[in-house]
């Protein structure tokens, strides 16, 4: 069911026009990487597990790249301390 949900996220992401060029591209790349992570984690192989973790890590890095330019600096700094 996670693979289906990931596929639907990708359908929505690619069916709509991208928002801002860098933001939209980063979000799409992040969603694709997280979908790859979901597919890898469906396998029972250790290599697939490692690939899935790497894909999720890169996907979440992509989300950070997308959100940093549009984040409100005061909010981001206020959340940074508790998150660290």
């Amino acid at each position: 069911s996670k693979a289906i949900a990931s596929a639907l996220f990708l359908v929505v992401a690619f069916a709509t026009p991208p928002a801002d060029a860098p933001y939209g591209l980063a979000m799409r790349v992040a969603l694709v990487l997280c979908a790859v992570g979901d597919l890898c984690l469906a396998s029972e192989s250790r290599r697939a597990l490692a690939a899935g973790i790497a894909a999720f890590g890169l996907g979440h890095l992509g989300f950070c790249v997308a959100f940093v330019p549009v984040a409100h600096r005061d909010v981001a700094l206020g959340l940074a301390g508790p998150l660290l």
Side-chain angles (χ1 to χ4, degrees), residues 9-64:
F9 289 139
L10 293 176
V11 167
V12 171
F14 285 93
T16 58
D20 183 26
Y23 171 80
L25 177 64
M27 287 297 291
R28 287 178 175 183
V29 169
L31 287 169
V32 168
L33 286 167
C34 288
V36 168
D38 280 335
L39 292 176
C40 289
L41 293 178
S43 173
E44 295 182 16
S45 157
R46 283 183 169 253
R47 289 181 117 169
L49 174 65
I53 291 171
F56 272 121
L58 291 172
H60 284 77
L61 183 62
F63 288 130
C64 290

